[in-house]
Amino acid sequence: MSSSTNQAQVPPAILNESQWAEINSAIAPLNKDQLTWMSGYLAGLANSQVANAVTTPVEAVAADKKLTILYGSQTGNAKGIAQEYKTKAESAGITVNLASMADYKAKQLKNESHLVIVVSTHGEGDAPDDAVELHEFLASKKAPKLPQLKFAVIGLGDSSYEFFCQTAKDFDARLEALGADRLAPRVDCDVDYDIAANAFIDQITTQLKDELTAKQSQVVQLPRSVAHAPAAAASEFTKKNPFPATLSLSQKITGRDSIKDIRHVEISLEESGIQYQPGDAIGIWFINDEALVDEVLALTTIAADESITLGEDTLSIKQALLEKFELTLSYPTFVKSYLEVAKNDRLQSLFEDKAALREYLADRQIIDIIKDFPIELTAEQLARALRPITPRLYSIASSQAEVEDEVHLTVALVEYDVNGQPRKGGASSFLAERLEEGQEVKVFIEHNNNFRLPDDPNTPVIMVGPGTGIAPFRAFMQERAEQEAEGKNWLFFGNPTFTQDFLYQTEWQRFVKDGVVDKISLAFSRDQEHKIYVQHRLLEQGAEVYKWLQDGAHFYVCGDATHMAKDVHDALLTIIQQHGSKNAEQAEQYLTELRRAKRYQKDVY
């Protein structure tokens, strides 16, 4: 075909007159061989652009319209949901910005168009540490009006607590008050959150797909393989795919006369490829006590071999009670379902009085409710009333630099009486009493980037960890010893008595002797007439504590969230006011700055 013939043709609809003229002008001087080479070159260029268009859609949405997912997570569950949502949204073609609330600049909210918040609640309705600043900002007068924002909130919590999903409720209400439009009603997830969370993710993804997905109406579609998120590596074990580890050691480390039974537990991770850092937690999937299961079955007159269906699995009710259902914690949803069969006026009255119900459930297990309000049940009725078992998280008490293919934890055996009947914690009694050395225990690592040693090994560290709260600090010091870190280390530890309850005493003495630990302040509450706790030792050493903070120290707290962590926080505020010559507001701001700089970190439960 000659160039003159080309010039005479009518331009195709895909080109305008000017483009057609420019093309003919460019090819007019070319001979046959040059035209042949050019046609091949242009064909290859076109294929390359089409391929790119298929894998990278043309942006058809406004540049400022994207989906931002913010998570506030204390133990990692909210982060996990947020990451799963990001993967699903991106596979649907939605542009996503995922961030921890701790790393998000609050003033950026006024520039967002679509926002999804995934946040947990802990303690008495408290926001997780990484959500505190954004939570406070939205509640303040500095929060901007957000009429341009569309949002949705999913909360994680435990319905057995009074302030169930309170942080999610706070975010949801405040965003609405600031003028934002709700994409969907808030979802409050209980401990068995998978189904509700997945339904929420699917709903929001479908809802946003048309608005935020890039359009490809001008792109030629070619057959292609579907892009999937990279599969998890074979050695990557998770909550849903735990590693079958083996118990190496479960040794009591409190004295014979101690009021506590605390165990040092060692688990082999050999051949797992699992890696963890000091500050991480380990998740333990446990098996319920067979004697407890047998008693539940006897009280409800259910045959142990009666079959039930869970999802796609059919198994005996006894096996389900051993491995699948929560028995050692009680919760309002069980009472609600139980009432549908029991029809008991006294239990109904108790259920309707939320304060009385919380008090009643506080120290009772499922078997105690069945004993107090006995009825016959079918296996299916019992299964519907119970909620799935959830793994227990324990702060890791070892550094892999020291112990290699092992993980250590510090476990307090939970034991108490209910109406004269002994009761024990599910996971703690499994690790302390029922699991024998060499037997299997399913585990996974819960990474906690909000509880990390300073990047600079020369940075001083203050650690407050009474009771089993000492666990991560043992890991910290093993790590710093291996690093030969120069930073100073100061431990505040408390327990009932020196002679019975000084956990890892010889190890801490060796840390001091070797120069790893510079100072230890001890608070043994029952060794004197007046009880002394770690917050009292902090106040006594207030001037030096403040000097360490002024010198750049990182401050860590691990242990009880309800009382100890709050008391330590209050002690810190007092120290900052007294020794920093600050008023109450300035002291709060000082701690906020420490938290923002990741110099005030908590691992509390």
Side-chain angles (χ1 to χ4, degrees):
M1 185 183 293
S2 67
S3 59
S4 59
T5 303
N6 282 334
Q7 290 173 345
Q9 288 180 344
V10 177
I14 199 169
L15 300 174
N16 60 36
E17 294 279 356
S18 175
Q19 290 171 325
W20 185 244
E22 289 178 6
I23 289 173
N24 277 295
S25 174
I27 66 175
L30 302 181
N31 60 32
K32 180 181 178 182
D33 291 338
Q34 290 171 324
L35 283 169
T36 300
W37 180 90
M38 181 60 72
S39 66
Y41 170 77
L42 291 173
L45 184 63
N47 285 336
S48 173
Q49 289 183 343
V50 170
N52 286 339
V54 170
T55 57
T56 308
V58 174
E59 290 294 336
V61 293
D64 61 344
K65 282 194 173 184
K66 65 180 184 303
L67 173 62
T68 293
I69 304 172
L70 298 180
Y71 63 85
S73 188
Q74 195 70 27
T75 63
N77 289 333
K79 179 181 179 181
I81 290 175
Q83 289 172 329
E84 288 180 18
Y85 184 28
K86 177 178 186 289
T87 298
K88 181 163 285 191
E90 287 181 334
S91 69
I94 298 172
T95 301
V96 178
N97 172 38
L98 173 69
S100 164
M101 293 182 186
D103 301 324
Y104 183 79
K105 294 187 183 302
K107 293 182 179 179
Q108 175 65 21
L109 278 173
K110 63 180 181 294
N111 300 321
E112 302 289 1
S113 63
H114 297 76
L115 174 69
V116 170
I117 281 179
V118 188
V119 67
S120 62
T121 297
H122 73 100
E124 297 179 8
D126 298 324
D129 289 344
D130 54 1
V132 169
E133 192 171 347
L134 182 61
H135 186 262
E136 291 178 347
F137 175 81
L138 283 176
S140 72
K141 294 180 180 179
K142 296 180 181 179
K145 295 296 182 183
L146 301 169
Q148 85 295 345
L149 182 67
K150 296 180 180 179
F151 76 96
V153 177
I154 178 169
L156 300 186
D158 185 336
S159 61
S160 60
Y161 286 91
E162 179 179 0
F163 299 99
F164 175 54
C165 287
Q166 185 61 49
T167 306
K169 294 173 184 176
D170 293 345
F171 274 114
D172 186 66
R174 190 57 184 152
L175 288 170
E176 182 182 42
L178 293 170
D181 289 329
R182 191 180 283 105
L183 288 164
R186 184 190 71 252
V187 174
D188 297 333
C189 297
D190 213 334
V191 290
D192 49 336
Y193 57 80
D194 285 341
I195 293 175
N198 288 333
F200 173 86
I201 287 173
D202 290 342
Q203 177 189 354
I204 300 299
T205 302
T206 301
Q207 204 167 329
L208 295 180
K209 190 171 182 179
D210 288 340
E211 187 171 353
L212 295 183
T213 301
K215 307 299 181 185
Q216 302 182 47
S217 57
Q218 296 182 8
V219 178
V220 177
Q221 297 291 336
L222 295 180
R224 60 171 181 171
S225 59
V226 178
H228 293 285
S235 61
E236 184 178 333
F237 295 95
T238 64
K239 179 180 179 180
K240 295 180 181 178
N241 178 38
F243 174 67
T246 54
L247 178 71
S248 301
L249 177 69
S250 178
Q251 181 180 43
K252 187 177 179 183
I253 54 174
T254 43
R256 182 177 58 187
D257 297 325
S258 173
I259 61 172
K260 296 183 177 183
D261 183 342
I262 296 179
R263 304 297 178 102
H264 171 72
V265 175
E266 297 182 2
I267 294 172
S268 172
L269 301 177
E270 193 172 353
E271 298 182 359
S272 70
I274 288 176
Q275 298 293 310
Y276 61 84
Q277 297 182 55
D280 287 340
I282 185 168
I284 302 290
W285 285 102
F286 63 96
I287 297 173
N288 282 312
D289 186 354
E290 187 171 6
L292 176 65
V293 168
D294 289 340
E295 191 174 0
V296 168
L297 292 172
L299 286 169
T300 54
T301 68
I302 298 172
D305 59 356
E306 190 172 337
S307 294
I308 63 166
T309 300
L310 294 178
E312 298 179 355
D313 299 326
T314 299
L315 65 166
S316 71
I317 184 63
K318 180 168 183 177
Q319 183 183 353
L321 292 177
L322 284 169
E323 301 177 6
K324 304 296 184 180
F325 289 124
E326 188 69 72
L327 294 180
T328 54
L329 297 177
S330 56
Y331 32 90
T333 52
F334 175 80
V335 178
K336 182 179 180 181
S337 296
Y338 194 74
L339 267 170
E340 293 175 3
V341 183
K343 309 296 184 185
N344 184 291
D345 291 340
R346 188 162 60 91
L347 183 57
Q348 183 68 46
S349 297
L350 181 63
F351 180 73
E352 292 171 356
D353 186 338
K354 294 190 181 300
L357 181 64
R358 281 195 305 274
E359 184 178 351
Y360 172 78
L361 295 178
D363 62 354
R364 282 174 172 81
Q365 298 187 355
I366 296 299
I367 193 169
D368 297 307
I369 301 172
I370 296 172
K371 278 188 169 185
D372 288 346
F373 305 95
I375 55 171
E376 291 185 7
L377 291 171
T378 66
E380 289 291 345
Q381 286 171 333
L382 179 59
R384 282 199 301 271
L386 294 168
R387 72 184 185 191
I389 201 167
T390 54
R392 304 298 194 257
L393 295 179
Y394 292 93
S395 301
I396 291 175
S398 57
S399 162
Q400 240 172 341
E402 166 88 9
V403 303
E404 299 181 343
D405 289 336
E406 291 181 357
V407 62
H408 298 176
L409 46 158
T410 311
V411 179
L413 175 62
V414 177
E415 48 186 349
Y416 55 96
D417 284 349
V418 176
N419 297 327
Q421 297 296 312
R423 297 286 177 252
K424 295 185 179 181
S428 64
S429 62
F430 174 68
L431 290 170
E433 297 179 335
R434 299 195 302 279
L435 191 67
E436 296 181 2
E437 292 179 8
Q439 288 186 324
E440 181 180 290
V441 52
K442 294 179 179 179
V443 305
F444 61 95
I445 300 300
E446 195 74 75
H447 298 291
N448 185 1
N449 292 326
N450 296 317
F451 204 74
R452 290 280 184 255
L453 277 166
D455 293 332
D456 183 355
N458 296 313
T459 302
V461 162
I462 300 173
M463 303 163 286
V464 182
T468 57
I470 200 171
F473 304 133
R474 179 178 185 262
F476 277 17
M477 293 304 97
Q478 286 183 356
E479 183 80 3
R480 284 206 139 182
E482 289 291 324
Q483 291 176 341
E484 298 183 352
E486 295 295 326
K488 296 191 299 180
N489 302 294
W490 186 355
L491 173 72
F492 286 83
F493 173 73
N495 236 354
T497 67
F498 175 84
T499 58
Q500 303 294 315
D501 306 298
F502 191 168
L503 306 184
Y504 303 113
Q505 179 181 354
T506 57
E507 292 187 31
W508 287 104
Q509 289 171 334
R510 187 173 69 250
F511 282 139
V512 172
K513 181 180 178 181
D514 293 345
V516 178
V517 173
D518 296 83
K519 190 166 184 174
I520 296 180
S521 295
L522 301 171
F524 292 105
S525 59
R526 301 193 179 192
D527 277 350
Q528 60 285 310
E529 184 178 352
H530 301 291
K531 290 185 178 180
I532 295 176
Y533 299 108
V534 286
Q535 64 268 23
H536 300 130
R537 295 301 189 210
L538 280 165
L539 291 168
E540 290 172 2
Q541 306 276 347
E544 191 171 357
V545 168
Y546 185 72
K547 183 179 186 305
W548 277 51
L549 292 175
Q550 288 294 91
D551 290 342
H554 286 217
F555 192 97
Y556 299 89
V557 184
C558 182
D560 167 55
T562 306
H563 302 292
M564 183 276 298
K566 293 181 183 298
D567 291 338
V568 167
H569 184 89
D570 291 342
L572 267 180
L573 289 173
T574 300
I575 288 168
I576 293 163
Q577 289 180 63
Q578 290 181 349
H579 302 283
S581 300
K582 301 181 188 302
N583 60 33
E585 184 178 349
Q586 290 169 333
E588 286 280 8
Q589 184 58 35
Y590 187 96
L591 277 188
T592 297
E593 293 299 329
L594 287 184
R595 187 170 55 233
R596 183 179 294 139
K598 297 189 182 298
R599 289 179 52 205
Y600 179 28
Q601 299 183 30
K602 293 183 287 185
D603 177 12
V604 295
Y605 36 84

